[in-house]
Amino acid sequence: MDAVRVALLREVLAGTAWPAAARRFAGALRSSVVPQGGGLLLVGTERYEPWHLAAHLADEAMWSGQPELAPTLVRHRVRPEEPAHLSVGLGRLEAAGRGSTLLVVAPDRPDGGLLERVHDARRAGAAVLSLDGGDPEVRGLAHEALSVDAERDEGVDLDLVQHLVSAAAGENSLPAPRGRRRLRDRLARLADHMTAPPRPAGSAGCCREAGWGRNVPCARAAAAVRGRGGAVRGPCGAGRSGGPKTCCRVPVRCGAWRLVIQKLSALLPDLSPWRSSRDFRLLWVQGLVAYFGSFTAMVALPLQIKELTGSPLAVGAMGAVELVPLVVCGLYGGALADAVDRRRVILGTEVCLGLLAAVLLVNALLPEPLLWPLYLVAAGVSACAGLQRPALDALIARIVPHDQLTAAAALNALRWQLGAIAGPAVAGLVVAYAGHATAYATTACCFAFSVLLCLRLSPAPPAHGAEKPSLRGIVEGARYAWSRPVLLGTYAVDLAAMLLAFPHTLFPFLADDLGAPWALGLMYAAGSAGAVLVSLTSGWTGRVRRHGLLVVCGAAGWGLAVAAAGLLENVWLVLLCLAAAGAGDMLSGLGRSTIWNQTIPDELRGRLAGIEVLSYSVGPQLGQVRAGAMAGWTGTRSAIWVGGAACVGAVALLAAALPKLVSYDASTDEDARRRRELSR
């Protein structure tokens, strides 16, 4: 379609959302194809081949000077006598991987074979976009989708939208749609600026000076003007024909400032997973909301038990009640994550968590709240967490490209810590001024919103030929973990640190000992504050190769900081030590997560994730029991500092007993190299 007809078409549709939607979709297509240069594959259904879209995109590629937009048409049936460019069959999709873009045009529902090939291409790292008739399975597989419903969108069909998209993709400048930009667009633009590579030293920059109102080229433009015998006019060396230039009245080259900014931004977390995966964005926001609700209840529940009983042992018994469901459901949840749709597991457990929050709310509204429902709900929450966590971990490995897994771990940790800061801080105030019922109502509302977000996740079916959950499968996963000293070391170090130095159960009593009951919420939030600081400056962790050493040092730092918190008497110094402990735990967690992602095979991901649940969840539960029992015998302060010192000693012994953990190097480890080669 020529430019005149496209302009008329846009004028006719000016009162609708279609021109803006087509330009957004074209912008996503172009930003996916042009920077990557991996090729554009265009495929339709068995009954519909997008000939016209292929021809229009080829024309736009030629006119816009962007040859990457010219697609390769993938066909369902290829005849022997047809030319080479029309003889590309569905087998071409098997080679699609990192850097490739796959555009699916499906006015009706495709057959299962095509959906399976598209799913495999996405798992291999290809970007998937779809122009479809509203089929939910096609939309679920796409990173970006534009749907046309013939019954709902009267007068607009898929052919017309294809004309709009192809014309917009060829425009040299894609104007931003009118109206308020979406939060995702703003974050993506910020991420582009933060993660762009720095310019080479000495390259030209741009400057802006009041009164000019536009960017003015510096070194290269000045050299070009002098080459033509002219004088440089403008902010950079205005009216001068030689000598050192100044940029915006700063006696350095413009590129130097950009280089400094880029070096500082290198410390910031990598946002690539947020930009590249719709499902990761949904999970991130869902997790943030769910964590806020969970941590709100985490503060209110032990505080209510303390008010009902006044016994540290009764509060510590909550950990014992949670232990058995967590162990059983954690192991079973790992096998379940390898056998069923992981989205269904996550959605079902979120619904159950919301119902359990409602039970807490009803109990809190009683004239005399009962004690036994608190323990019952604690056990139920532990069971749901054990079932859900392996599915979440295994799903991340599917929806995030392999080279972005470390960045995804840092972003997920940041999400967790934000919830851990906001939830306890708000819960402490809510319980103090509005009561437990309000805190539990907040938790229930958070889980209701989380369920709505989970409903938008794409289906995550199990691999073909996956076995049903069984004890044999669980044993197979445990046997693999036991055969890998590095993995075994990460589990053992984390278990020792949490078992011996987890002080959270004693915070209500520590606040009373320090004469600062107002600081209870801050104590729960301090560790998360230190972890957030590490997460916000986690860009440097991408250059670390000795992740085992990071695990050991982080865990030792956690123990030292906890011991100091138990010995000090100034509440502000105690909060500072708790923040330092959180930073150490965060470093150790990043090292563990990176090792797991780099070395565990895909077919064992769910079951190994179940073992991960035990390592970083059973430890805190047993730690609560240990802290409560010891505080009942020796006092709150001694239970804290003795546990921290024991943690340091245990980590040192494990490092000496497992030298392969300390010497682990991502560039030389055999399992890590094998996984890296398989992902290419």
Side-chain angles (χ1 to χ4, degrees), residues 32-66:
S32 176
V33 174
V34 174
Q36 300 295 335
L40 172 61
L41 302 177
L42 179 62
V43 63
T45 64
E46 190 172 1
R47 290 174 290 182
Y48 181 88
E49 289 191 330
W51 293 96
H52 288 90
L53 181 58
H56 288 311
L57 286 175
D59 291 340
E60 297 295 342
M62 180 181 61
W63 294 333
S64 64
Q66 299 289 348

PDB file of all heavy atoms in Angstrom, residues 32-66:
ATOM      1  N   SER A  32      13.130  -5.028  17.991  1.00  0.00           N
ATOM      2  CA  SER A  32      13.564  -6.412  18.173  1.00  0.00           C
ATOM      3  C   SER A  32      14.452  -6.884  17.042  1.00  0.00           C
ATOM      4  O   SER A  32      15.413  -7.613  17.254  1.00  0.00           O
ATOM      5  CB  SER A  32      12.337  -7.327  18.291  1.00  0.00           C
ATOM      6  OG  SER A  32      12.721  -8.668  18.368  1.00  0.00           O
ATOM      7  N   VAL A  33      14.149  -6.437  15.812  1.00  0.00           N
ATOM      8  CA  VAL A  33      14.860  -6.947  14.635  1.00  0.00           C
ATOM      9  C   VAL A  33      16.126  -6.170  14.346  1.00  0.00           C
ATOM     10  O   VAL A  33      17.208  -6.742  14.182  1.00  0.00           O
ATOM     11  CB  VAL A  33      13.927  -6.926  13.404  1.00  0.00           C
ATOM     12  CG1 VAL A  33      14.699  -7.313  12.153  1.00  0.00           C
ATOM     13  CG2 VAL A  33      12.751  -7.851  13.611  1.00  0.00           C
ATOM     14  N   VAL A  34      16.018  -4.826  14.312  1.00  0.00           N
ATOM     15  CA  VAL A  34      17.127  -4.012  13.804  1.00  0.00           C
ATOM     16  C   VAL A  34      18.364  -4.091  14.697  1.00  0.00           C
ATOM     17  O   VAL A  34      19.464  -4.353  14.211  1.00  0.00           O
ATOM     18  CB  VAL A  34      16.662  -2.552  13.608  1.00  0.00           C
ATOM     19  CG1 VAL A  34      17.839  -1.672  13.229  1.00  0.00           C
ATOM     20  CG2 VAL A  34      15.581  -2.485  12.532  1.00  0.00           C
ATOM     21  N   PRO A  35      18.265  -3.921  16.041  1.00  0.00           N
ATOM     22  CA  PRO A  35      19.506  -3.987  16.834  1.00  0.00           C
ATOM     23  C   PRO A  35      20.127  -5.373  16.871  1.00  0.00           C
ATOM     24  O   PRO A  35      21.337  -5.520  16.947  1.00  0.00           O
ATOM     25  CB  PRO A  35      19.038  -3.555  18.234  1.00  0.00           C
ATOM     26  CG  PRO A  35      17.716  -2.918  18.052  1.00  0.00           C
ATOM     27  CD  PRO A  35      17.106  -3.589  16.869  1.00  0.00           C
ATOM     28  N   GLN A  36      19.290  -6.419  16.836  1.00  0.00           N
ATOM     29  CA  GLN A  36      19.814  -7.778  16.959  1.00  0.00           C
ATOM     30  C   GLN A  36      20.435  -8.268  15.662  1.00  0.00           C
ATOM     31  O   GLN A  36      21.458  -8.950  15.664  1.00  0.00           O
ATOM     32  CB  GLN A  36      18.689  -8.733  17.380  1.00  0.00           C
ATOM     33  CG  GLN A  36      18.045  -8.372  18.713  1.00  0.00           C
ATOM     34  CD  GLN A  36      19.007  -8.513  19.867  1.00  0.00           C
ATOM     35  OE1 GLN A  36      19.966  -9.267  19.809  1.00  0.00           O
ATOM     36  NE2 GLN A  36      18.772  -7.745  20.922  1.00  0.00           N
ATOM     37  N   GLY A  37      19.788  -7.950  14.533  1.00  0.00           N
ATOM     38  CA  GLY A  37      20.329  -8.399  13.254  1.00  0.00           C
ATOM     39  C   GLY A  37      20.275  -9.894  13.053  1.00  0.00           C
ATOM     40  O   GLY A  37      20.982 -10.448  12.223  1.00  0.00           O
ATOM     41  N   GLY A  38      19.438 -10.593  13.822  1.00  0.00           N
ATOM     42  CA  GLY A  38      19.388 -12.044  13.730  1.00  0.00           C
ATOM     43  C   GLY A  38      18.407 -12.566  12.710  1.00  0.00           C
ATOM     44  O   GLY A  38      18.283 -13.767  12.514  1.00  0.00           O
ATOM     45  N   GLY A  39      17.661 -11.681  12.052  1.00  0.00           N
ATOM     46  CA  GLY A  39      16.725 -12.106  11.028  1.00  0.00           C
ATOM     47  C   GLY A  39      15.300 -12.139  11.526  1.00  0.00           C
ATOM     48  O   GLY A  39      15.029 -12.395  12.696  1.00  0.00           O
ATOM     49  N   LEU A  40      14.367 -11.859  10.606  1.00  0.00           N
ATOM     50  CA  LEU A  40      12.940 -11.855  10.892  1.00  0.00           C
ATOM     51  C   LEU A  40      12.292 -13.026  10.175  1.00  0.00           C
ATOM     52  O   LEU A  40      12.354 -13.126   8.943  1.00  0.00           O
ATOM     53  CB  LEU A  40      12.306 -10.534  10.451  1.00  0.00           C
ATOM     54  CG  LEU A  40      10.788 -10.448  10.511  1.00  0.00           C
ATOM     55  CD1 LEU A  40      10.301 -10.636  11.943  1.00  0.00           C
ATOM     56  CD2 LEU A  40      10.302  -9.108   9.953  1.00  0.00           C
ATOM     57  N   LEU A  41      11.677 -13.910  10.939  1.00  0.00           N
ATOM     58  CA  LEU A  41      10.956 -15.056  10.396  1.00  0.00           C
ATOM     59  C   LEU A  41       9.470 -14.757  10.465  1.00  0.00           C
ATOM     60  O   LEU A  41       8.948 -14.376  11.524  1.00  0.00           O
ATOM     61  CB  LEU A  41      11.272 -16.330  11.182  1.00  0.00           C
ATOM     62  CG  LEU A  41      12.748 -16.742  11.255  1.00  0.00           C
ATOM     63  CD1 LEU A  41      12.907 -17.984  12.121  1.00  0.00           C
ATOM     64  CD2 LEU A  41      13.286 -17.005   9.862  1.00  0.00           C
ATOM     65  N   LEU A  42       8.770 -14.939   9.349  1.00  0.00           N
ATOM     66  CA  LEU A  42       7.339 -14.653   9.258  1.00  0.00           C
ATOM     67  C   LEU A  42       6.611 -15.951   8.953  1.00  0.00           C
ATOM     68  O   LEU A  42       6.908 -16.626   7.957  1.00  0.00           O
ATOM     69  CB  LEU A  42       7.086 -13.622   8.150  1.00  0.00           C
ATOM     70  CG  LEU A  42       5.642 -13.212   7.895  1.00  0.00           C
ATOM     71  CD1 LEU A  42       5.032 -12.554   9.129  1.00  0.00           C
ATOM     72  CD2 LEU A  42       5.574 -12.256   6.704  1.00  0.00           C
ATOM     73  N   VAL A  43       5.656 -16.323   9.807  1.00  0.00           N
ATOM     74  CA  VAL A  43       4.951 -17.576   9.632  1.00  0.00           C
ATOM     75  C   VAL A  43       3.471 -17.366   9.888  1.00  0.00           C
ATOM     76  O   VAL A  43       3.087 -16.585  10.770  1.00  0.00           O
ATOM     77  CB  VAL A  43       5.520 -18.673  10.570  1.00  0.00           C
ATOM     78  CG1 VAL A  43       5.321 -18.310  12.025  1.00  0.00           C
ATOM     79  CG2 VAL A  43       4.902 -20.026  10.267  1.00  0.00           C
ATOM     80  N   GLY A  44       2.638 -18.026   9.088  1.00  0.00           N
ATOM     81  CA  GLY A  44       1.193 -17.994   9.282  1.00  0.00           C
ATOM     82  C   GLY A  44       0.687 -19.349   9.727  1.00  0.00           C
ATOM     83  O   GLY A  44       1.442 -20.200  10.200  1.00  0.00           O
ATOM     84  N   THR A  45      -0.603 -19.549   9.564  1.00  0.00           N
ATOM     85  CA  THR A  45      -1.189 -20.838   9.892  1.00  0.00           C
ATOM     86  C   THR A  45      -1.225 -21.713   8.638  1.00  0.00           C
ATOM     87  O   THR A  45      -0.854 -21.269   7.539  1.00  0.00           O
ATOM     88  CB  THR A  45      -2.605 -20.654  10.442  1.00  0.00           C
ATOM     89  OG1 THR A  45      -3.444 -20.095   9.420  1.00  0.00           O
ATOM     90  CG2 THR A  45      -2.596 -19.731  11.649  1.00  0.00           C
ATOM     91  N   GLU A  46      -1.681 -22.938   8.792  1.00  0.00           N
ATOM     92  CA  GLU A  46      -1.744 -23.841   7.647  1.00  0.00           C
ATOM     93  C   GLU A  46      -2.730 -23.341   6.597  1.00  0.00           C
ATOM     94  O   GLU A  46      -2.559 -23.568   5.406  1.00  0.00           O
ATOM     95  CB  GLU A  46      -2.129 -25.238   8.128  1.00  0.00           C
ATOM     96  CG  GLU A  46      -1.990 -26.314   7.065  1.00  0.00           C
ATOM     97  CD  GLU A  46      -2.185 -27.700   7.624  1.00  0.00           C
ATOM     98  OE1 GLU A  46      -2.454 -27.816   8.839  1.00  0.00           O
ATOM     99  OE2 GLU A  46      -2.066 -28.667   6.859  1.00  0.00           O
ATOM    100  N   ARG A  47      -3.765 -22.622   7.034  1.00  0.00           N
ATOM    101  CA  ARG A  47      -4.774 -22.123   6.100  1.00  0.00           C
ATOM    102  C   ARG A  47      -4.540 -20.681   5.673  1.00  0.00           C
ATOM    103  O   ARG A  47      -5.255 -20.172   4.811  1.00  0.00           O
ATOM    104  CB  ARG A  47      -6.164 -22.240   6.733  1.00  0.00           C
ATOM    105  CG  ARG A  47      -6.662 -23.671   6.868  1.00  0.00           C
ATOM    106  CD  ARG A  47      -7.975 -23.740   7.625  1.00  0.00           C
ATOM    107  NE  ARG A  47      -7.794 -23.431   9.037  1.00  0.00           N
ATOM    108  CZ  ARG A  47      -8.772 -23.451   9.940  1.00  0.00           C
ATOM    109  NH1 ARG A  47     -10.000 -23.757   9.575  1.00  0.00           N
ATOM    110  NH2 ARG A  47      -8.514 -23.165  11.195  1.00  0.00           N
ATOM    111  N   TYR A  48      -3.580 -20.014   6.282  1.00  0.00           N
ATOM    112  CA  TYR A  48      -3.359 -18.598   5.957  1.00  0.00           C
ATOM    113  C   TYR A  48      -1.862 -18.318   5.927  1.00  0.00           C
ATOM    114  O   TYR A  48      -1.188 -18.403   6.957  1.00  0.00           O
ATOM    115  CB  TYR A  48      -4.030 -17.698   7.000  1.00  0.00           C
ATOM    116  CG  TYR A  48      -3.878 -16.222   6.725  1.00  0.00           C
ATOM    117  CD1 TYR A  48      -4.788 -15.540   5.932  1.00  0.00           C
ATOM    118  CD2 TYR A  48      -2.806 -15.504   7.264  1.00  0.00           C
ATOM    119  CE1 TYR A  48      -4.649 -14.188   5.684  1.00  0.00           C
ATOM    120  CE2 TYR A  48      -2.654 -14.152   7.024  1.00  0.00           C
ATOM    121  CZ  TYR A  48      -3.585 -13.494   6.233  1.00  0.00           C
ATOM    122  OH  TYR A  48      -3.438 -12.156   5.979  1.00  0.00           O
ATOM    123  N   GLU A  49      -1.352 -17.968   4.753  1.00  0.00           N
ATOM    124  CA  GLU A  49       0.052 -17.578   4.621  1.00  0.00           C
ATOM    125  C   GLU A  49       0.123 -16.079   4.371  1.00  0.00           C
ATOM    126  O   GLU A  49      -0.531 -15.564   3.446  1.00  0.00           O
ATOM    127  CB  GLU A  49       0.721 -18.340   3.476  1.00  0.00           C
ATOM    128  CG  GLU A  49       0.951 -19.816   3.779  1.00  0.00           C
ATOM    129  CD  GLU A  49       1.841 -20.485   2.735  1.00  0.00           C
ATOM    130  OE1 GLU A  49       1.810 -20.049   1.565  1.00  0.00           O
ATOM    131  OE2 GLU A  49       2.551 -21.435   3.089  1.00  0.00           O
ATOM    132  N   PRO A  50       0.894 -15.350   5.163  1.00  0.00           N
ATOM    133  CA  PRO A  50       0.915 -13.872   5.077  1.00  0.00           C
ATOM    134  C   PRO A  50       1.764 -13.355   3.913  1.00  0.00           C
ATOM    135  O   PRO A  50       2.788 -12.687   4.117  1.00  0.00           O
ATOM    136  CB  PRO A  50       1.492 -13.474   6.435  1.00  0.00           C
ATOM    137  CG  PRO A  50       2.366 -14.610   6.833  1.00  0.00           C
ATOM    138  CD  PRO A  50       1.714 -15.845   6.294  1.00  0.00           C
ATOM    139  N   TRP A  51       1.328 -13.637   2.672  1.00  0.00           N
ATOM    140  CA  TRP A  51       2.074 -13.183   1.498  1.00  0.00           C
ATOM    141  C   TRP A  51       2.157 -11.652   1.446  1.00  0.00           C
ATOM    142  O   TRP A  51       3.228 -11.093   1.191  1.00  0.00           O
ATOM    143  CB  TRP A  51       1.399 -13.697   0.220  1.00  0.00           C
ATOM    144  CG  TRP A  51       1.456 -15.165   0.032  1.00  0.00           C
ATOM    145  CD1 TRP A  51       0.506 -16.084   0.369  1.00  0.00           C
ATOM    146  CD2 TRP A  51       2.530 -15.903  -0.550  1.00  0.00           C
ATOM    147  NE1 TRP A  51       0.900 -17.348   0.050  1.00  0.00           N
ATOM    148  CE2 TRP A  51       2.159 -17.266  -0.533  1.00  0.00           C
ATOM    149  CE3 TRP A  51       3.765 -15.564  -1.083  1.00  0.00           C
ATOM    150  CZ2 TRP A  51       2.965 -18.266  -1.028  1.00  0.00           C
ATOM    151  CZ3 TRP A  51       4.565 -16.557  -1.577  1.00  0.00           C
ATOM    152  CH2 TRP A  51       4.177 -17.893  -1.541  1.00  0.00           C
ATOM    153  N   HIS A  52       1.011 -11.002   1.653  1.00  0.00           N
ATOM    154  CA  HIS A  52       0.996  -9.550   1.500  1.00  0.00           C
ATOM    155  C   HIS A  52       1.890  -8.871   2.540  1.00  0.00           C
ATOM    156  O   HIS A  52       2.617  -7.925   2.213  1.00  0.00           O
ATOM    157  CB  HIS A  52      -0.443  -9.035   1.621  1.00  0.00           C
ATOM    158  CG  HIS A  52      -1.297  -9.357   0.442  1.00  0.00           C
ATOM    159  ND1 HIS A  52      -2.039 -10.510   0.359  1.00  0.00           N
ATOM    160  CD2 HIS A  52      -1.511  -8.685  -0.714  1.00  0.00           C
ATOM    161  CE1 HIS A  52      -2.681 -10.534  -0.786  1.00  0.00           C
ATOM    162  NE2 HIS A  52      -2.390  -9.439  -1.472  1.00  0.00           N
ATOM    163  N   LEU A  53       1.845  -9.329   3.777  1.00  0.00           N
ATOM    164  CA  LEU A  53       2.693  -8.720   4.800  1.00  0.00           C
ATOM    165  C   LEU A  53       4.168  -8.931   4.477  1.00  0.00           C
ATOM    166  O   LEU A  53       4.993  -8.030   4.676  1.00  0.00           O
ATOM    167  CB  LEU A  53       2.361  -9.319   6.171  1.00  0.00           C
ATOM    168  CG  LEU A  53       3.160  -8.759   7.354  1.00  0.00           C
ATOM    169  CD1 LEU A  53       2.971  -7.263   7.477  1.00  0.00           C
ATOM    170  CD2 LEU A  53       2.769  -9.459   8.655  1.00  0.00           C
ATOM    171  N   ALA A  54       4.533 -10.096   3.963  1.00  0.00           N
ATOM    172  CA  ALA A  54       5.925 -10.348   3.578  1.00  0.00           C
ATOM    173  C   ALA A  54       6.367  -9.384   2.494  1.00  0.00           C
ATOM    174  O   ALA A  54       7.470  -8.814   2.546  1.00  0.00           O
ATOM    175  CB  ALA A  54       6.086 -11.794   3.114  1.00  0.00           C
ATOM    176  N   ALA A  55       5.481  -9.170   1.487  1.00  0.00           N
ATOM    177  CA  ALA A  55       5.836  -8.256   0.397  1.00  0.00           C
ATOM    178  C   ALA A  55       5.952  -6.819   0.896  1.00  0.00           C
ATOM    179  O   ALA A  55       6.886  -6.091   0.534  1.00  0.00           O
ATOM    180  CB  ALA A  55       4.797  -8.356  -0.714  1.00  0.00           C
ATOM    181  N   HIS A  56       5.001  -6.395   1.748  1.00  0.00           N
ATOM    182  CA  HIS A  56       5.047  -5.015   2.246  1.00  0.00           C
ATOM    183  C   HIS A  56       6.265  -4.775   3.129  1.00  0.00           C
ATOM    184  O   HIS A  56       6.906  -3.712   3.034  1.00  0.00           O
ATOM    185  CB  HIS A  56       3.768  -4.714   3.020  1.00  0.00           C
ATOM    186  CG  HIS A  56       2.553  -4.569   2.153  1.00  0.00           C
ATOM    187  ND1 HIS A  56       2.524  -3.771   1.044  1.00  0.00           N
ATOM    188  CD2 HIS A  56       1.317  -5.140   2.240  1.00  0.00           C
ATOM    189  CE1 HIS A  56       1.331  -3.835   0.473  1.00  0.00           C
ATOM    190  NE2 HIS A  56       0.577  -4.677   1.178  1.00  0.00           N
ATOM    191  N   LEU A  57       6.602  -5.728   3.976  1.00  0.00           N
ATOM    192  CA  LEU A  57       7.786  -5.555   4.816  1.00  0.00           C
ATOM    193  C   LEU A  57       9.063  -5.514   3.984  1.00  0.00           C
ATOM    194  O   LEU A  57      10.000  -4.769   4.304  1.00  0.00           O
ATOM    195  CB  LEU A  57       7.865  -6.678   5.856  1.00  0.00           C
ATOM    196  CG  LEU A  57       6.887  -6.599   7.025  1.00  0.00           C
ATOM    197  CD1 LEU A  57       6.993  -7.840   7.902  1.00  0.00           C
ATOM    198  CD2 LEU A  57       7.164  -5.354   7.872  1.00  0.00           C
ATOM    199  N   ALA A  58       9.119  -6.306   2.926  1.00  0.00           N
ATOM    200  CA  ALA A  58      10.294  -6.265   2.040  1.00  0.00           C
ATOM    201  C   ALA A  58      10.419  -4.900   1.379  1.00  0.00           C
ATOM    202  O   ALA A  58      11.529  -4.345   1.260  1.00  0.00           O
ATOM    203  CB  ALA A  58      10.187  -7.369   0.994  1.00  0.00           C
ATOM    204  N   ASP A  59       9.278  -4.328   0.939  1.00  0.00           N
ATOM    205  CA  ASP A  59       9.321  -2.987   0.346  1.00  0.00           C
ATOM    206  C   ASP A  59       9.752  -1.946   1.364  1.00  0.00           C
ATOM    207  O   ASP A  59      10.589  -1.070   1.072  1.00  0.00           O
ATOM    208  CB  ASP A  59       7.940  -2.627  -0.212  1.00  0.00           C
ATOM    209  CG  ASP A  59       7.573  -3.465  -1.429  1.00  0.00           C
ATOM    210  OD1 ASP A  59       8.497  -4.027  -2.054  1.00  0.00           O
ATOM    211  OD2 ASP A  59       6.374  -3.556  -1.739  1.00  0.00           O
ATOM    212  N   GLU A  60       9.188  -2.017   2.567  1.00  0.00           N
ATOM    213  CA  GLU A  60       9.550  -1.035   3.590  1.00  0.00           C
ATOM    214  C   GLU A  60      11.014  -1.165   3.987  1.00  0.00           C
ATOM    215  O   GLU A  60      11.675  -0.168   4.295  1.00  0.00           O
ATOM    216  CB  GLU A  60       8.655  -1.227   4.822  1.00  0.00           C
ATOM    217  CG  GLU A  60       7.174  -0.989   4.594  1.00  0.00           C
ATOM    218  CD  GLU A  60       6.860   0.458   4.248  1.00  0.00           C
ATOM    219  OE1 GLU A  60       7.715   1.330   4.515  1.00  0.00           O
ATOM    220  OE2 GLU A  60       5.772   0.710   3.717  1.00  0.00           O
ATOM    221  N   ALA A  61      11.543  -2.385   3.995  1.00  0.00           N
ATOM    222  CA  ALA A  61      12.956  -2.580   4.305  1.00  0.00           C
ATOM    223  C   ALA A  61      13.841  -1.880   3.282  1.00  0.00           C
ATOM    224  O   ALA A  61      14.866  -1.283   3.629  1.00  0.00           O
ATOM    225  CB  ALA A  61      13.275  -4.067   4.358  1.00  0.00           C
ATOM    226  N   MET A  62      13.449  -1.946   2.019  1.00  0.00           N
ATOM    227  CA  MET A  62      14.236  -1.299   0.967  1.00  0.00           C
ATOM    228  C   MET A  62      14.116   0.214   1.054  1.00  0.00           C
ATOM    229  O   MET A  62      15.106   0.940   0.964  1.00  0.00           O
ATOM    230  CB  MET A  62      13.759  -1.796  -0.394  1.00  0.00           C
ATOM    231  CG  MET A  62      14.497  -1.185  -1.580  1.00  0.00           C
ATOM    232  SD  MET A  62      13.867  -1.794  -3.147  1.00  0.00           S
ATOM    233  CE  MET A  62      12.162  -1.224  -3.066  1.00  0.00           C
ATOM    234  N   TRP A  63      12.909   0.743   1.250  1.00  0.00           N
ATOM    235  CA  TRP A  63      12.713   2.194   1.271  1.00  0.00           C
ATOM    236  C   TRP A  63      13.300   2.846   2.518  1.00  0.00           C
ATOM    237  O   TRP A  63      13.771   3.979   2.460  1.00  0.00           O
ATOM    238  CB  TRP A  63      11.213   2.509   1.188  1.00  0.00           C
ATOM    239  CG  TRP A  63      10.602   2.114  -0.125  1.00  0.00           C
ATOM    240  CD1 TRP A  63      11.233   2.014  -1.333  1.00  0.00           C
ATOM    241  CD2 TRP A  63       9.242   1.743  -0.350  1.00  0.00           C
ATOM    242  NE1 TRP A  63      10.354   1.598  -2.308  1.00  0.00           N
ATOM    243  CE2 TRP A  63       9.114   1.427  -1.734  1.00  0.00           C
ATOM    244  CE3 TRP A  63       8.109   1.633   0.449  1.00  0.00           C
ATOM    245  CZ2 TRP A  63       7.918   1.032  -2.314  1.00  0.00           C
ATOM    246  CZ3 TRP A  63       6.919   1.250  -0.120  1.00  0.00           C
ATOM    247  CH2 TRP A  63       6.818   0.944  -1.486  1.00  0.00           C
ATOM    248  N   SER A  64      13.280   2.155   3.645  1.00  0.00           N
ATOM    249  CA  SER A  64      13.763   2.754   4.893  1.00  0.00           C
ATOM    250  C   SER A  64      15.251   2.544   5.113  1.00  0.00           C
ATOM    251  O   SER A  64      15.815   3.094   6.061  1.00  0.00           O
ATOM    252  CB  SER A  64      12.998   2.161   6.085  1.00  0.00           C
ATOM    253  OG  SER A  64      13.268   0.775   6.206  1.00  0.00           O
ATOM    254  N   GLY A  65      15.879   1.738   4.276  1.00  0.00           N
ATOM    255  CA  GLY A  65      17.296   1.462   4.470  1.00  0.00           C
ATOM    256  C   GLY A  65      17.569   0.541   5.640  1.00  0.00           C
ATOM    257  O   GLY A  65      18.662   0.565   6.212  1.00  0.00           O
ATOM    258  N   GLN A  66      16.592  -0.266   5.990  1.00  0.00           N
ATOM    259  CA  GLN A  66      16.741  -1.222   7.091  1.00  0.00           C
ATOM    260  C   GLN A  66      16.525  -2.629   6.545  1.00  0.00           C
ATOM    261  O   GLN A  66      15.414  -3.177   6.623  1.00  0.00           O
ATOM    262  CB  GLN A  66      15.729  -0.930   8.211  1.00  0.00           C
ATOM    263  CG  GLN A  66      15.868   0.439   8.839  1.00  0.00           C
ATOM    264  CD  GLN A  66      17.117   0.539   9.696  1.00  0.00           C
ATOM    265  OE1 GLN A  66      17.758  -0.468   9.985  1.00  0.00           O
ATOM    266  NE2 GLN A  66      17.471   1.750  10.081  1.00  0.00           N
TER     267      GLN A  66
END
